Amino acid sequence: MPDSGVLTAPLDNLESNMAYMVFASLAWTLKTWSGMLIRVKGNEGQRRVRREARNRIVRMEFWTYLNSLMLLPAQVIRSSRRRIFRLLTYRPTVDLLMTMHDHIRQPLRC
């Protein structure tokens, strides 16, 4: 059976490997949390679309999440009192990003 590299960390000592695993766990948790913050509300069609978006983000592999939602080419323009972020390309996952942004912007209510 070939070595898949699943149980190996890229570092040379135990402390570094532990830190690597902590960072990987934190990144995975933030990815899942960003998906869980999408609220399933609205009429039946909106609830279905939002539920699908939520499930898609939660079930997404981390590298897919990183490449499709986080690593987008953008132009940042700083003017007097504001920052403007212009997306320089469109991908189908930009809709997911905008949905996440709308739901994360709203205050949490317990």
Side-chain angles (χ1 to χ4, degrees), residues 3-40:
D3 182 25
S4 64
V6 173
L7 298 177
T8 60
L11 306 168
D12 63 349
N13 59 24
L14 191 59
E15 291 85 13
S16 299
N17 288 341
M18 187 183 82
Y20 180 82
M21 294 305 291
V22 168
F23 294 145
S25 175
L26 179 61
W28 190 269
T29 302
L30 289 173
K31 176 204 75 85
T32 305
W33 190 31
S34 68
M36 298 289 289
L37 284 175
I38 295 178
R39 296 181 182 99
V40 180

Side-chain angles (χ1 to χ4, degrees), residues 72-73 86-91 94:
L72 292 173
R86 292 184 183 165
L87 294 177
L88 300 178
T89 186
Y90 177 79
R91 298 178 187 170
V94 170

Side-chain angles (χ1 to χ4, degrees), residues 63-74 87 89 91 97:
W63 293 111
T64 306
Y65 177 80
L66 180 70
N67 289 325
S68 62
L69 290 172
M70 296 293 115
L71 297 178
L72 292 173
L87 294 177
T89 186
R91 298 178 187 170
L97 182 66

